[in-house]
Amino acid sequence: MDLKRIRDVLKTHYGLKPIAIRCLQGYEVGTVLLSGTGDPLILKYYPRSDSRTQWLAEENRILQHLALNHKGRFPEVYPTLDGSMDVHANGTHYRILTFLDGDFLAEASQTPGLLTSFGAFMGRLSKTLVKVKPGTLASAESEWDLQHLLKNRQFLTRVKDKRDRALIDYFFLQFEREVLPYRYHLRKAVIHNDANDWNVLCDGREVSSLIDFGDICYSWQINEVAVALTYILMGKDDPLSAAEVFLRAYHAEFPLTQEESDVLYYLVAGRLCMSLCQSAQTIEAAGTSLTPEQETYINISKVPAQKLLHQWIRINPLKARNAFRSAIGVPEPAPGLRKDLMERRSRFFSPALSLSYNTPIAMQRAAMQYMYDVSGNTYLDAYNNIMLAGHSHPKVARAASEGMARLNTNTRYLYNALDEYAEQLLALFPEPLNKLFLVNSGSAATDLALRLARYGTGRRKMLVLSQGYHGNTSAGIAVSHYKHVKKDLFPDTLIGPFPGTADGNTLGGGEQSRRCIRAYLDLVQSHAGTLAGFIAEPIMGCGGQLPLPEGLLPEVYGEIRKQGGVCISDEVQVGFGRLGKWTWGFQMRGLVPDIVVLGKPMGNGHPIGGVVTTAAIADAFAEGPEFFSSFGGNPVSCAIGKAVLDVIEEEGLREHAEKTGRILLRELENLQGHHTAITEVRGSGLFVGLALADREGKPDAAGASHLCNALKDRRILTSTDGPMNNVLKIKPPLPFDALNTSQLCTEIDRILKQTGSSC
Ligand code: PMP
């Protein structure tokens, strides 16, 4: 700030001789407070440019209009000696505005009364501004204008926290899908566009004025509301209630349409994302030149914005929509009745298609680790291992829709997506696993893996684990003891003992373990020369999240290979980094299988399955009939698969699973110390099981089912499994974080306390 120059301008152009000039902190323009000139005044100065000249002319025009209608509520332009609105001198624009006194709304206690006053104030402002002609503002395209939110996507990579980045991109995607389709229905008007609570002044009980018109634009009218709401919702425990208070008062002054109120949820999120992208960009662009004060100023809303964004995604958009509708007097629509939905379903489907929970949930949408039902509830998903990257992950969703709009064909043509995906996926496997087959489900992958094993060895018989599950095709079911206990149905399947205790716990490293391994080795030896191979999961999923005894896989692999068979690792549930320490389950035991079966998280919900094997096995298979799958390896699926791998890498999901998994195991073990019902906590990363027993120490299926249903009633999704159905399964989407862990463990603790299982 060049004080001498400022004093010269003040004297020459305004005839002012202030006693004191104090610098006020601003984002990009110079702002100083002048005192000793009668009423205090604000001087703003900006580098001169043609666009700035035009901009200031528009701002001055709007301030004049407001001065006519709302005396003392908004800054007024203090004219120069010759009656001009501003001064151009020394390559700088100077402009003086009246100073408005009051407390910042940001620092006031935001009672419902004050929020009502704020809503009414903004409504009155809108009533006036709606009559103002846009002039040249109509063609401006600011990055701070919510209708141009997507301009901020270019700054996404500047956001440091990678999972925040995904969350922001999720809301960019929702903006495209949920807001942009309505853009021609949303009213447009001149808006202030920055009614953040540091620009709003109040006198304790009432909002008195609004300052800083530096972001005015001609935009969707509702954006005025969205911006104002965004800032008052920060730091609130119950943001929706605060929003309703504001909206009710705004609507009474300036009625909103239902369409406007319906897009508000995504506009508030949009403003948060814009603010986070802009602050990240400003910090990055400034590099080391930012002063600590400037950085504090930029961060002033960054931390609360980040916090509100994480709070916001926990709110079911339907709940927000209904709250906003209710505030503007639109009746809430009756939700579809669960009973009707269930009746309709039973008309079309066999009861073989089961539903989860005592009272099934009608789901509507989902985001990252949260799921939203049709009644406005939000569930924490601690169960769906398929959505590894998170529900509706923007990178995966975009890969799907962009691919479908460009090219979808099959492997009989050449296209990059197939080879690119194969290269990226196979790079995650040790040699000699270097050949890939792509199919559309874990079951189809198992089926193909069995064919490969049988083709390569010329034998049929497979060794499997008791309680294993590998797929729903005829061949998959035949090797899945979990679904079929009558072994005589499947003459080609040799079933070993259950690799856990009779009550569903792990065997540990002792004598029981040795006996189990011995039993498997005996089986192989007694069928030597007839076995095509062995298929197993490294941690059994359907078997109750059960890690196999440490030596089982290495020893059985050795014995199977000795007698000419192949070893198949089913990584459908545990693969792709969920285990934290390892990308693949077989790495737990330092093994390399001959064939690997992939599925579930491979497409983050899109149906992709795969088989990875050695060149020798793949080549032997090629001597048989052509292998063709209409959909396996299509370009859209490949692009989705690649997006999943990119997300795992970019967001460090495996490392995140390791870190969060450690916290989860620690908290659950802590609970085990307080509840006798918990007999074992096991697993790795975010693939965890909690075994439950009753008072007599017997496997407690009813207790596990009660816990699972009670958690669901508290809006947390888990499931039960294991041979005795007494294991609670926890295998959430990987964005699941430490806060979610703590919520889950707190609720488990409360439920077990209520059922009286404490020590
Ligand atoms: N293998 C394992 C270990 C599984 O858990 C499953 C599915 N639960 C499958 C294979 C079959 O996969 P999909 O349901 O995709 O066919």
Side-chain angles (χ1 to χ4, degrees):
M1 179 171 67
D2 185 341
L3 260 183
K4 180 170 171 325
R5 205 170 255 186
I6 288 178
R7 284 196 181 275
D8 281 351
V9 168
L10 291 174
K11 189 162 149 234
T12 316
H13 296 279
Y14 290 93
L16 289 173
K17 264 192 177 171
I19 297 170
I21 298 181
R22 184 159 64 88
C23 191
L24 302 179
Q25 194 60 54
Y27 226 83
E28 49 193 334
V29 297
T31 309
V32 295
L33 178 67
L34 313 175
S35 43
T37 53
D39 287 337
L41 293 168
I42 295 284
L43 170 75
K44 288 186 177 243
Y45 54 95
Y46 326 75
R48 209 200 103 78
S49 69
D50 288 345
S51 61
R52 180 77 70 182
T53 309
Q54 193 179 54
W55 177 267
L56 287 178
E58 295 295 19
E59 190 183 330
N60 291 341
R61 175 172 65 86
I62 289 159
L63 289 179
Q64 276 178 311
H65 186 89
L66 289 174
L68 286 177
N69 292 277
H70 305 273
K71 194 83 197 141
R73 297 292 188 195
F74 303 98
E76 287 175 34
V77 182
Y78 185 89
T80 62
L81 290 172
D82 65 6
S84 303
M85 295 286 175
D86 47 21
V87 173
H88 303 166
N90 322 313
T92 307
H93 287 284
Y94 296 89
R95 191 165 62 126
I96 294 186
L97 300 170
T98 54
F99 173 79
L100 295 165
D101 207 2
D103 301 324
F104 290 115
L105 180 62
E107 292 179 322
S109 157
Q110 294 182 3
T111 59
L114 192 54
L115 293 180
T116 298
S117 159
F118 183 34
F121 182 98
M122 292 305 294
R124 288 193 292 275
L125 171 64
S126 295
K127 229 185 322 191
T128 305
L129 284 184
V130 80
K131 293 185 203 122
V132 171
K133 288 207 167 58
T136 59
L137 293 179
S139 55
E141 288 191 2
S142 157
E143 285 159 8
W144 281 101
D145 177 350
L146 266 173
Q147 65 180 322
H148 303 302
L149 172 68
L150 297 181
K151 276 172 173 264
N152 290 277
R153 239 191 122 208
Q154 63 185 307
F155 305 130
L156 199 55
T157 52
R158 310 276 199 276
V159 174
K160 288 266 171 341
D161 185 300
K162 291 174 191 147
R163 276 181 305 281
D164 273 2
R165 215 184 272 172
L167 198 55
I168 294 171
D169 202 23
Y170 164 79
F171 278 119
F172 281 142
L173 178 67
Q174 299 308 318
F175 179 84
E176 287 169 39
R177 307 203 58 83
E178 303 293 329
V179 180
L180 287 186
Y182 295 96
R183 64 188 173 280
Y184 302 119
H185 301 261
L186 299 172
R187 282 180 289 179
K188 290 186 82 172
V190 170
I191 61 171
H192 174 277
N193 196 37
D194 194 17
N196 87 63
D197 48 6
W198 289 103
N199 283 337
V200 180
L201 299 169
C202 53
D203 64 4
R205 291 180 33 242
E206 299 265 304
V207 164
S208 51
S209 47
L210 177 67
I211 58 173
D212 195 350
F213 280 68
D215 288 299
I216 41 167
C217 58
Y218 181 64
S219 186
W220 303 327
Q221 171 68 56
I222 189 66
N223 291 344
E224 187 82 300
V225 178
V227 175
L229 271 184
T230 301
Y231 294 89
I232 52 173
L233 302 190
M234 289 179 187
K236 300 279 190 297
D237 291 335
D238 181 4
L240 283 190
S241 305
E244 278 187 80
V245 172
F246 175 94
L247 267 184
R248 206 166 281 126
Y250 182 93
H251 182 73
E253 292 288 345
F254 188 85
L256 290 170
T257 67
Q258 183 177 314
E259 266 161 352
E260 286 169 333
S261 121
D262 282 357
V263 290
L264 254 182
Y265 173 84
Y266 291 108
L267 290 176
V268 168
R271 177 66 182 201
L272 291 168
C273 296
M274 173 188 282
S275 167
L276 290 170
C277 284
Q278 285 288 332
S279 56
Q281 157 65 5
T282 309
I283 290 173
E284 172 110 355
T288 49
S289 71
L290 274 185
T291 64
E293 295 78 42
Q294 280 169 323
E295 201 159 336
T296 310
Y297 181 81
I298 292 167
N299 280 330
I300 213 161
S301 56
K302 185 182 142 190
V303 175
Q306 232 168 354
K307 204 168 153 226
L308 180 55
L309 196 66
H310 285 265
Q311 248 177 311
W312 207 239
I313 201 169
R314 283 170 162 261
I315 297 175
N316 185 330
L318 191 66
K319 182 174 176 183
R321 190 198 73 179
N322 290 343
F324 300 154
R325 280 190 183 181
S326 134
I328 67 163
V330 176
E332 210 170 294
L337 289 177
R338 193 190 305 115
K339 201 166 129 274
D340 295 347
L341 291 174
M342 286 168 69
E343 269 168 21
R344 197 175 55 173
R345 179 168 154 137
S346 67
R347 249 190 292 144
F348 303 127
F349 296 99
S350 146
L353 223 63
S354 71
L355 279 161
S356 290
Y357 307 112
N358 292 345
T359 45
I361 311 169
M363 283 298 181
Q364 202 185 41
R365 14 179 0 124
M368 298 305 182
Q369 65 271 47
Y370 303 106
M371 299 190 79
Y372 310 124
D373 77 1
V374 296
S375 310
N377 300 305
T378 300
Y379 292 86
L380 171 62
D381 187 356
Y383 170 42
N384 195 334
N385 57 345
I386 296 171
M387 308 311 292
L388 186 99
H391 290 275
S392 313
H393 192 288
K395 188 148 191 164
V396 182
R398 284 206 173 90
S401 56
E402 282 162 17
M404 282 302 281
R406 196 172 44 242
L407 171 72
N408 204 358
T409 181
N410 61 55
T411 48
R412 289 196 171 123
Y413 296 94
L414 292 169
Y415 42 87
N416 278 336
L418 181 68
D419 313 331
E420 269 173 17
Y421 178 49
E423 191 170 13
Q424 202 170 336
L425 180 63
L426 288 173
L428 300 174
F429 288 87
E431 281 295 338
L433 295 171
N434 56 20
K435 288 282 182 282
L436 172 68
F437 292 88
L438 290 165
V439 289
N440 314 111
S441 68
S443 301
T446 296
D447 202 293
L448 178 60
L450 294 173
R451 281 180 63 201
L452 288 172
R454 285 167 175 161
Y455 208 90
T457 59
R459 305 172 188 168
R460 290 203 56 78
K461 204 179 277 298
M462 293 295 300
L463 175 65
V464 304
L465 303 177
S466 168
Q467 296 301 325
Y469 177 71
H470 304 287
N472 63 23
T473 62
S474 298
I477 286 292
V479 292
S480 298
H481 169 256
Y482 171 77
K483 296 265 168 168
H484 286 275
V485 183
K486 284 193 195 152
K487 39 180 150 171
D488 54 355
L489 274 178
F490 301 105
D492 290 332
T493 305
L494 192 61
I495 301 160
F498 179 59
T501 63
D503 55 8
N505 284 352
T506 48
L507 291 175
E511 183 47 33
Q512 278 183 305
S513 239
R514 282 271 10 116
R515 234 180 296 138
C516 174
I517 295 169
R518 190 66 256 159
Y520 274 90
L521 297 179
D522 287 349
L523 270 178
V524 181
Q525 281 155 7
S526 59
H527 291 78
T530 68
L531 284 170
F534 169 57
I535 181 166
E537 290 179 276
I539 300 183
M540 299 179 79
C542 299
Q545 314 288 87
L546 188 85
L548 303 181
E550 206 174 314
L552 193 139
L553 288 182
E555 294 198 39
V556 176
Y557 272 32
E559 203 58 36
I560 285 280
R561 281 168 173 164
K562 218 192 291 171
Q563 61 90 56
V566 296
C567 301
I568 306 175
S569 186
D570 183 339
E571 301 279 339
V572 166
Q573 295 229 17
V574 297
F576 292 93
R578 164 170 302 283
L579 297 181
K581 242 180 170 161
W582 308 279
T583 302
W584 310 114
F586 58 77
Q587 293 168 326
M588 278 171 75
R589 306 293 183 222
L591 294 171
V592 180
D594 305 295
I595 301 174
V596 180
V597 175
L598 304 173
K600 289 195 193 279
M602 196 171 181
N604 206 53
H606 176 83
I608 319 179
V611 178
V612 174
T613 189
T614 64
I617 292 176
D619 288 350
F621 188 64
E623 286 163 19
E626 175 210 20
F627 173 76
F628 177 69
S629 159
S630 298
F631 304 124
N634 73 74
V636 179
S637 296
C638 289
I640 292 171
K642 181 175 176 356
V644 173
L645 296 181
D646 288 344
V647 172
I648 295 171
E649 175 68 24
E650 286 163 10
E651 296 181 26
L653 289 182
R654 188 179 60 72
E655 295 77 4
H656 176 75
E658 186 178 0
K659 198 170 112 204
T660 315
R662 259 202 311 268
I663 301 172
L664 177 62
L665 284 175
R666 197 176 57 227
E667 291 193 19
L668 289 173
E669 279 158 10
N670 182 33
L671 285 184
Q672 189 181 4
H674 292 93
H675 298 283
T676 47
I678 304 176
T679 55
E680 193 167 74
V681 174
R682 63 196 184 218
S684 171
L686 286 172
F687 195 72
V688 169
L690 194 71
L692 296 164
D694 61 18
R695 283 166 202 278
E696 276 113 56
K698 299 224 177 73
D700 191 2
S705 164
H706 171 78
L707 178 59
C708 176
N709 280 292
L711 281 169
K712 175 244 162 190
D713 292 341
R714 288 156 194 245
R715 316 274 180 247
I716 300 176
L717 306 176
T718 56
S719 72
T720 59
D721 223 324
M724 307 288 171
N725 237 327
N726 65 322
V727 181
L728 189 79
K729 296 207 290 190
I730 302 168
K731 41 181 191 152
L734 297 192
F736 194 88
D737 58 24
L739 222 69
N740 300 138
T741 299
S742 140
Q743 182 190 347
L744 169 67
C745 293
T746 305
E747 294 302 346
I748 292 177
D749 188 34
R750 285 197 185 132
I751 296 163
L752 291 183
K753 269 186 188 136
Q754 277 172 7
T755 49
S757 79
S758 308
C759 300

